[in-house]
Structures are given as structure tokens and as C-alpha cells.
Amino acid sequence: MDSGVKREVLIRRVLAGAVVGCFVLGGVLVVMPDGDRRPPPSPGPVARAVTAVGSGAPASLPDLVALISDREAHLRAHPGDVRSWAELGTAYVERGERTAEPGFYPKADAALRTSLNGRPKGNTEAFRGMAALANARHDFRAARGWGEAAVASSPKRWSVYPALIDAYRGLGDYKGARRVLAKLVELPSGSGVSGGRPGVQVLVRAGLVYRDRGWREDSAAALSDAAALAATPAEQADCLVRVGESAWERGEAAESLRAFEAALRADPGEHAALAGQGRALAALGRDSEALLAYQSALAKQPLPRYALELGELYESLGLGGAARAQYDVLRARVREGDAAGVNEELVLGLFEADHGDAGGAVRRLRGEWARHPSVAVADALGWALHRDGKDKEAVGFATRATDRVRGGGARVALYSFHRGVIERGVGNDSGARRHLGEALRISPVFSPLLVPVALRALEELGEAEPRPAGALR
């Protein structure tokens, strides 16, 4: 079956189950009236957050704060309520992710384990919360175990599947992710805690799985459909961030920026959109605005990878001191995460390979490869080996990250750039020309530091092509 046909089948199935009492007309979801009954009152912040947390959908930060406060107060009076412990733990996980505050993860672990101690068998909510926590900590093996326990406990409940898909993707088991997605799509309607179909979350995971297969157009379409179907501002903003990231990966900086701006209009608490704005603005040559966007993102969601991106933007502008300050921020955030059980070996390995100790990066990334042999880790390890002078070994990992036959289905400009540089290092000039050119065709704006390097390398290799449209500087 053609990939586009598969996507159309997916959309029909999602809409058939998710849109109960509704129809889609011109891209607008229309609710059919039911007699003369008035609609029920809008749920309050706690109820909204409970619904989101129970389904794995994003909740707004104010709603999360309200839910956490409510459950903490409730559990002081009713410490034996295992379901509330699971809800509290899962809310802690999401708050930690939304704000990049790893201190919430030990709290989440304690709350979820209290729920499991009270009900060790059949505790689907706690199993799913533990899977979400392990994914947030980048411990994908543990996430797979907890996700499989959740599915085994409630195989007909759709909300247990997304965390398991995320775990398989983190492990580099893309066939496993496709298998779980297929099961999710085939579930009958009404397969949720409160009934109905998870249209948005099905489409989001389908978009990510399609991306991993290299089906870029299908991935973009599924994510756009998810944004159109989103039921809450927080969910819509989350989907729009993914739409922006997809456009960025395709090298469409202006489209990416529009999606990130729309995400912030939908939910100003969607801080990931700020970093996306910084990335897109830098690609468009709007450096001052890009710096402000990144600085705002780091103030509100200080993830190590944002500090790395901002540091490299400073470096591309010749601001070495400011870049080093951001790299210090990166190291500090990694230490904080490590204390809370967060594994940041991938981003730290990439940083060390380019800006620190390449040999140390190789050691870190070999360990990460043993734990999570994903395409992203294969690329990072290959690059670290190159930076450490081990090009012959590096070629194998770079090939794995970019060769569809060997697992590298996703089309990522950075991976092609790395492979091209490594191939040049072993004397494979034709391969180097092919993959450096491919990197710029995939995205002529993939890195403010590396696009000029790719252009110079191609010129030195005899490929003095015109600068690609939109190429940085």
C-alpha cells in the first residue's frame, strides 16, 4: 500500500472514532446539536488537567499547578488513594518536562511508587506514569518495560500506547514503534478512560513514526491534521511545535517560524516554541531576534540542548565569550538533571565532540549506544569518533544513521553533513560530495556553524555550486 494511501486510511479511522457526534467540513470540526439540551458547563482547571493527564495529552501549566495542588491536599487527608497518587506522579512528570525542572522527577517517582505499593497489579495509571517518567529521563529501556506492563494491563485502552511508541523510538526499535502504532490505530472506538478516540495523539505518533521512515510529507500532513483536531489550547500548541520542528527539519524556516508563533498564540506557556523561534529566526538572518528568543526559552525551559544551540549561534556570530557562558550553562543543567536521574549523554556527547573532550565524548556515546542504539546516537557516536581521529570506525556509524537499509530512514541534514565530512576523512571524495550536497538539499539552514563549513568543503571538493536558496550567511 502506498504511504499516502496508508495515511488516508489512518485519517479515516481516526476521525471515525474520535469525532463522535461531529463531522469535518472544510477542515473545521463541527459539533452536531443534540436536541435542545444546553451544553454542560466548562470543566475547571483541575478537571481539565485530570482529563489531559489521564489521556497523555498536554495540559496547560496553570491547570497542572492546580491539579498538583489539589492532589497534594487530597492525599494529605486520604493517603491510601492509589489513583490520586498515580495522577499526582504523572502531573509531576509533565510539569518537569514543560518547565525543564528535573527536581519534579524524584517527586514523580515517589508518588508513582506509592501508588504501585498500594496496588502492585493492574495499576494501569501508575504503569503509564512510570513509562512517561522513564521517557522524560531518557531511560528508554525502563520506559519500554513500564509501557509494556501498561498495555498488558489494559490492552484496549488507547492512552497506554503513546508512551510505549516513544520508548521504542528512543531505543532505535523503529519496527517495534510501527507495530505498536498499528495496534493503536486498530483499536475500536470508545477505547479510553472516558470513551472516544484519541484522534490527536494517534496522529502525532503516526507523524513521528512516518518521520522515522523518511516519509516527510506524510509526517507533516499527520502533524498538521493533529493540530487542526486539537481540543485544547495546550494540545494545539504542542502539535504546532511539532509542525514547526517538522518544517525546520525540511529546511522551511519561514513556515517553521509561523508554526512556532501560532503555538505561542495558542498557549503562551508552550516554551519549546521559543527555542524553535530562535532557530528559525537565526536561519532567516534575524540574529538579534533569534538571540532574544533563545534567551527567553532558556529562562523558562532551560534544556541543555537549547544552551548548546544558543552557544553555537553566539559562536557563529564571533561572540566566543558569550558562547562559552552558554556552554557552562549546559554543563550545569546536565549536572542538575543527572542528580534527578535524567540521562543527557546524547546532548553532552555532541557538545563534547565539538567543543570539549572528543575522547570523552566517544566514551560517553559508546555507553549510550549500548543502552539506546537509535539513529540519533549512531550519528553522534560516528561524529565523536571522527573528532577523535577514528574515521574508519566512524564511517560505519555515520552510514547506519543515514542509510535506509541499515535503519537511517529519517532525512536529517546534520546526519548527512556528518557522513560527508567523515567520508572525506577516509578519502571517499565522491561520497563526501554526495552527502554534503544532500545535507544542503535537505535543509540549507540546518546549522549557523556548519552550513558555511559544508559550502567550503564542497568548493574544495570541486563542487562549486551556487549557494542554495536560503543558505545561512
Side-chain angles (χ1 to χ4, degrees), residues 283-300:
L284 293 168
R286 295 160 62 179
D287 296 327
S288 297
E289 294 172 83
L291 293 173
L292 288 173
Y294 268 124
Q295 289 160 0
S296 182
L298 275 164
K300 296 175 179 178

Side-chain angles (χ1 to χ4, degrees), residues 33-237:
D34 183 9
D36 293 325
R37 289 186 298 176
R38 294 181 180 180
S42 298
V46 173
R48 289 194 301 265
V50 167
T51 299
V53 166
S55 66
S60 72
L61 280 173
D63 288 358
L64 274 177
V65 171
L67 174 59
I68 288 171
S69 178
D70 179 86
R71 290 300 184 264
E72 287 175 340
H74 172 77
L75 287 165
R76 282 193 289 271
H78 306 281
D81 185 345
V82 296
R83 186 182 183 91
S84 289
W85 279 114
E87 289 174 344
L88 177 61
T90 307
Y92 281 146
V93 173
E94 185 169 352
R95 187 167 180 189
E97 285 193 285
R98 293 291 299 275
T99 60
E101 295 180 67
F104 281 103
Y105 296 146
K107 291 183 177 182
D109 191 282
L112 291 164
R113 291 189 186 278
T114 299
S115 180
L116 288 168
N117 289 338
R119 187 191 300 154
K121 293 183 179 180
N123 193 340
T124 302
E125 291 79 11
F127 293 153
R128 190 174 60 79
M130 290 296 288
L133 174 60
N135 277 326
R137 285 172 154 170
H138 307 147
D139 183 358
F140 300 113
R141 290 191 185 280
R144 181 182 60 187
W146 288 113
E148 288 175 345
V151 169
S153 175
S154 298
K156 294 183 179 180
R157 183 181 297 185
W158 66 264
S159 59
V160 300
Y161 287 86
L164 184 55
I165 292 172
D166 294 343
Y168 276 120
R169 294 182 67 239
L171 285 168
D173 185 351
Y174 305 109
K175 289 183 179 179
R178 294 198 294 271
R179 185 173 65 250
V180 177
L181 175 65
K183 291 180 181 179
L184 173 57
V185 171
E186 293 295 337
L187 286 178
S189 62
S191 303
V193 176
S194 56
R197 284 285 309 191
V200 174
Q201 296 307 312
V202 172
L203 288 166
V204 166
R205 286 339 185 269
L208 297 175
V209 170
Y210 292 164
R211 178 262 182 198
D212 293 339
R213 298 197 75 173
W215 296 357
R216 301 173 77 189
E217 292 77 12
D218 290 325
S219 175
L223 295 173
S224 295
D225 290 338
L229 283 173
T232 67
E235 187 172 55
Q236 184 183 44

Side-chain angles (χ1 to χ4, degrees), residues 276-362:
Q277 277 187 317
R279 204 176 299 126
L281 288 164
L284 293 168
R286 295 160 62 179
D287 296 327
S288 297
E289 294 172 83
L291 293 173
L292 288 173
Y294 268 124
Q295 289 160 0
S296 182
L298 275 164
K300 296 175 179 178
Q301 192 183 24
L303 289 171
R305 65 188 178 93
Y306 296 168
L308 177 58
E309 290 178 17
L310 178 54
E312 291 187 338
L313 177 56
Y314 277 130
E315 200 168 326
S316 74
L317 297 171
L319 301 172
R324 288 189 292 275
Q326 289 306 314
Y327 299 152
D328 288 341
V329 170
L330 181 150
R331 293 187 182 96
R333 295 301 298 173
V334 167
R335 287 194 296 270
E336 288 179 34
D338 184 63
V342 181
N343 167 23
E344 293 285 10
E345 293 294 88
L346 177 55
V347 68
L348 190 57
L350 279 169
F351 162 71
E352 292 290 355
D354 279 323
H355 308 285
D357 176 7
V362 169

